[in-house]
Amino acid sequence: MCGIVGYTGKGPAVELVVRGLEKLEYRGYDSAGVAFLLGGKLRVVRAVGRVEDLRRKLPPEAAAATSAIGHTRWATHGRPSELNAHPHSDGAGNFAVVHNGIIENYARLREDLQRQGCVFTSETDTEVAAHLISRLHEACGDLPRAVERAIGMIEGTFAFAVLSTHYPGRLAATRRGSPLVAGFGQGEMLVASDALPILPTTHDVYYLKDDQVLDVEPGGARLKGEAVAPSDHIHWSAEEAERGGYEHFMLKEIHEQPAALRKLASKLIEDPGAPGDPGGFPRFRLDEMRVTAEDLRKATRVVVVAQGTSYHAGLIARNMIERTARLPVQVEYGSDFRYRDPIVDPGVLVLGISQSGETADTLGAVRLAKERGCRTVSVLNVQGSTMARESDGCVPMHVGPEIGVASTKAFTGQIAALYVLAIHLGVVRGVLTAPEARRRVDDLLQVPQRIDEALAQAAHVREIALKYKDAEHALYLGRGTGFPLALEGALKLKEVSYIHAEGIDAAEMKHGPIALIDEKMPVFVLALQGRRYEKIVSNIQEVKARGGRVIAIASHDDREIAARVDDVIRVHDDRGIMNSIVCSIPLQLIAYHIAVGLGRDVDKPRNLAKSVTVE
Ligand code: F6R
């Protein structure tokens, strides 16, 4: 969703802001713009399309500006156009504003301002903020105070950065609901929607809290006149956020999974337990979870809240937690949970799963659960994110920044982190014996190697993917944990290739979807050996009998499958739930190679935003 970058210091502000916007491109956007001060005047340049289109429109004199704000816009109010692109300014051209979020009462505010003589030039809700701040500034003569008064009148969610001709070298920054972080360099300061644009300059940051108005100058920042110190040090390196020789971030992140999961395991598993020692339970590093063993023992139920890919990880977590801890698990879209008056009580442990930690619907569900007295734990990748701060505790995934819009390493990281949590729950609740817990930890430690083996077949998977790239539709079938994987495989394909795909519980085929099968329909089947294998084989036969083309993801040692299907992709099958991670690799590669084969922009698929900060 929309991205904000602001800079003030001695450097070339416009160039630094534009570079920052490039780092935020992954969030999804359709237009971009910058505002800067030159000779005491506000200059605004905006462009529809990519940041590179904006760069081409910048006048040479922009290089002299030392403070600037910039924005990538993901259209909500008003179509993508130059007029609707941010920054927006007040009529006199003294205040420029960039905004991420939605001003819910903008229509009423706009009418009021129009009555006072303000003339609007765009269809956006944001322009209201520019006029409002300007009006309020006339009355109080102070930038942070005017911003504070404006946000007192605004309903909805926002992050704003404000630049004004009255305050050269200063920026105001504020947020409610949408993320905003300030970076402290040496004689230079940045504000941004996330840490990535800040990392090349500094790792010392301050995450703004709701309704705080930060007064930013090159030498530091103040809140209500008091100096603010950095609150966090970011551990991600700037290089981790680069493509590092890969054609796309998505491909890089697919290939990073072995290393990412090794890191996750090393961070979350303190001691895998001594083999042969019947009392030797594994020990985990889950101190950030901030839920006592007593609370975990007393929990009556787990409710998972998540959206999209994270929801699919939640469905896999249900199987894990029910098996390891014998605790009932309910998996919910946060978007539905939060508006349904859900039946929860303080005995319920609520798990929020979110790569970004900023997804508005998941965050809303976690907040509601907290209000109802539940313990809330979030499984997250982004340190300092809003969910990290608002949940009682969190389980960090440590898989490094995920830039590709289609989630890959964060999905497998979620599964792995949730497995650690599930084993921990099983141990604490006395369900797992030490050898059982150790065996599960060993399975997890084995996964990076299994992913390496799956990646070694990337060329074979690519060949198969290209065979099916011209399909208009595709189905993904699975049973048990294969079902959430089918959902995830279909989601990946839809997102990056724009081919219509559906994930279906294979048992449901006979209840309707089998009508879709014809000789043009590729059907990807999660067909690993296990309790449901015979049933999956029956589903495959039903599809084949109707002319469908079946691509099976099968166990390395399945000798019969090849004769039953059109194509086989094999993965090493350790007969455990960690297969869900291993099977994800070919699903990701299929989506990636089909999308590349079709010439799609896989890292920035159309209409999608990486961080969905509005409902
Ligand atoms: C799909 C994808 C999305 C996200 C969803 C939730 O590849 O990335 O479906 O999983 O928008 O995002 P987070 O995990 O940040 O809450």
Side-chain angles (χ1 to χ4, degrees):
M1 302 241 127
C2 303
I4 289 177
V5 184
Y7 173 91
T8 179
K10 291 188 212 68
V14 175
E15 174 58 23
L16 293 168
V17 163
V18 169
R19 274 189 222 159
L21 293 179
E22 282 165 350
K23 298 262 183 270
L24 294 182
E25 284 192 293
Y26 79 101
R27 295 167 71 90
Y29 72 106
D30 41 55
S31 50
V34 284
F36 48 95
L37 294 180
L38 265 188
K41 290 212 171 357
L42 192 65
R43 301 276 294 269
V44 177
V45 182
R46 302 179 289 191
V48 175
R50 296 293 179 196
V51 174
E52 64 204 52
D53 299 309
L54 172 68
R55 199 187 266 287
R56 274 196 290 274
K57 290 183 75 177
L58 290 170
E61 63 272 19
T66 53
S67 52
I69 54 174
H71 190 262
T72 48
R73 173 173 188 252
W74 192 84
T76 56
H77 290 73
R79 71 200 157 82
S81 70
E82 203 171 309
L83 280 183
N84 288 335
H86 301 205
H88 289 285
S89 14
D90 64 324
N94 286 323
F95 292 85
V97 174
V98 288
H99 169 216
N100 169 16
I102 293 181
I103 301 178
E104 285 164 7
N105 59 340
Y106 89 100
R108 192 165 43 74
L109 291 172
R110 186 176 164 123
E111 268 171 35
D112 288 351
L113 288 160
Q114 277 169 330
R115 265 197 298 275
Q116 293 170 39
C118 295
V119 177
F120 283 77
T121 56
S122 77
E123 303 159 279
T124 65
D125 52 341
T126 306
E127 197 182 345
V128 160
H131 288 286
L132 193 59
I133 292 168
S134 168
R135 283 283 148 145
L136 294 165
H137 184 266
E138 275 170 28
C140 72
D142 180 73
L143 179 63
R145 205 167 311 142
V147 173
E148 199 170 288
R149 289 188 184 165
I151 64 170
M153 297 167 70
I154 288 174
E155 289 162 19
T157 56
F158 53 77
F160 290 121
V162 186
L163 183 70
S164 169
T165 54
H166 301 307
Y167 302 90
R170 264 165 89 182
L171 308 175
T174 186
R175 67 164 292 224
R176 184 189 300 152
S178 301
L180 203 61
V181 53
F184 292 68
Q186 297 293 325
E188 53 186 350
M189 289 285 296
L190 287 122
V191 293
S193 295
D194 65 38
L196 297 183
I198 293 176
L199 286 181
T201 306
T202 175
H203 288 236
D204 293 323
V205 298
Y206 177 81
Y207 291 98
L208 275 85
K209 299 184 184 62
D210 276 355
D211 291 321
Q212 287 184 329
V213 178
L214 203 63
D215 185 2
V216 184
E217 282 180 308
R222 282 189 303 260
L223 279 174
K224 291 192 183 294
E226 297 287 319
V228 175
S231 59
D232 283 79
H233 185 82
I234 305 277
H235 299 294
W236 288 347
S237 65
E239 296 72 49
E240 275 183 290
E242 303 291 339
R243 261 192 309 164
Y246 284 91
E247 202 181 334
H248 297 102
F249 276 110
M250 182 175 176
L251 188 62
K252 174 183 176 238
E253 287 158 8
I254 290 173
H255 282 270
E256 272 173 354
Q257 288 173 105
L261 294 198
R262 275 191 192 102
K263 180 155 177 214
L264 179 152
S266 74
K267 293 275 186 187
L268 296 184
I269 302 169
E270 191 179 338
D271 175 3
D277 173 2
F281 280 98
R283 280 205 315 277
F284 302 110
R285 256 187 236 107
L286 291 170
D287 26 314
E288 288 179 57
M289 206 164 96
R290 293 190 205 96
V291 178
T292 63
E294 193 49 27
D295 278 337
L296 296 181
R297 266 191 286 277
K298 284 206 270 185
T300 52
R301 187 162 42 109
V302 172
V303 174
V304 171
V305 290
Q307 301 291 142
T309 290
S310 300
Y311 175 84
H312 301 154
L315 292 173
I316 294 171
R318 176 171 67 196
N319 289 15
M320 294 174 181
I321 297 173
E322 289 189 351
R323 271 193 229 172
T324 58
R326 302 306 298 152
L327 193 57
V329 182
Q330 192 182 322
V331 188
E332 301 261 0
Y333 285 119
S335 50
D336 188 55
F337 178 88
R338 61 187 297 202
Y339 291 117
R340 213 184 57 230
D341 192 11
I343 304 171
V344 285
D345 56 54
V348 175
L349 174 67
V350 170
L351 289 183
I353 308 178
S354 175
Q355 187 282 132
S356 62
E358 301 293 350
T359 300
D361 284 315
T362 311
L363 188 58
V366 168
R367 283 180 180 150
L368 176 72
K370 262 188 99 171
E371 274 165 38
R372 300 277 170 98
C374 306
R375 306 295 296 166
T376 54
V377 172
S378 294
V379 178
L380 301 162
N381 194 33
V382 180
Q383 180 196 356
S385 58
T386 310
M387 260 171 82
R389 282 174 288 121
E390 293 202 12
S391 312
D392 291 318
C394 59
V395 178
M397 281 150 50
H398 302 289
V399 297
E402 188 180 69
I403 313 284
V405 167
S407 191
T408 52
K409 65 174 178 174
F411 176 62
T412 51
Q414 284 165 340
I415 301 174
L418 286 159
Y419 200 37
V420 170
L421 185 58
I423 303 168
H424 178 61
L425 271 167
V427 170
V428 169
R429 292 170 65 85
V431 178
L432 293 180
T433 62
E436 281 165 351
R438 279 204 307 268
R439 181 186 57 73
R440 288 174 187 278
V441 169
D442 284 346
D443 285 351
L444 179 53
L445 293 173
Q446 185 67 18
V447 153
Q449 161 72 20
R450 297 288 176 244
I451 302 178
D452 273 327
E453 289 160 12
L455 286 170
Q457 302 181 59
H460 170 60
V461 179
R462 178 171 178 271
E463 219 171 275
I464 293 175
L466 292 181
K467 220 164 126 179
Y468 297 97
K469 82 174 184 7
D470 296 315
E472 282 179 31
H473 309 274
L475 294 183
Y476 286 71
L477 305 186
R479 287 172 178 253
T481 39
F483 171 50
L485 287 176
L487 292 173
E488 177 60 10
L491 178 63
K492 283 295 84 95
L493 187 66
K494 279 186 265 209
E495 280 182 291
V496 294
S497 75
Y498 320 147
I499 293 174
H500 169 232
E502 274 192 61
I504 296 173
D505 188 315
E508 274 291 294
M509 278 301 274
K510 288 195 201 62
H511 301 283
I514 199 161
L516 295 168
I517 302 294
D518 64 16
E519 56 292 339
K520 292 203 291 281
M521 181 69 90
V523 184
F524 296 90
V525 185
L526 279 303
L528 263 58
Q529 290 181 334
R531 280 193 297 155
R532 299 175 174 92
Y533 179 69
E534 299 304 330
K535 306 219 180 298
I536 272 284
V537 169
S538 305
N539 293 125
I540 288 174
Q541 280 162 342
E542 287 154 12
V543 171
K544 286 303 301 168
R546 284 154 186 87
R549 297 186 293 163
V550 175
I551 307 95
I553 296 169
S555 306
H556 63 285
D557 52 356
D558 184 336
R559 290 184 206 291
E560 278 142 45
I561 196 89
R564 301 183 195 278
V565 300
D566 297 76
D567 289 291
V568 188
I569 298 167
R570 294 184 185 275
V571 294
H572 193 106
D573 179 358
D574 285 316
R575 311 285 196 262
I577 200 146
M578 288 296 91
N579 280 340
S580 50
I581 293 184
V582 186
C583 288
S584 304
I585 309 305
L587 295 175
Q588 296 166 354
L589 287 170
I590 288 165
Y592 173 78
H593 286 299
I594 290 183
V596 172
L598 292 171
R600 309 293 191 227
D601 188 351
V602 285
D603 281 338
K604 292 174 221 120
R606 69 181 181 202
N607 305 339
L608 291 184
K610 178 71 179 163
S611 183
V612 185
T613 51
V614 297
E615 288 180 49

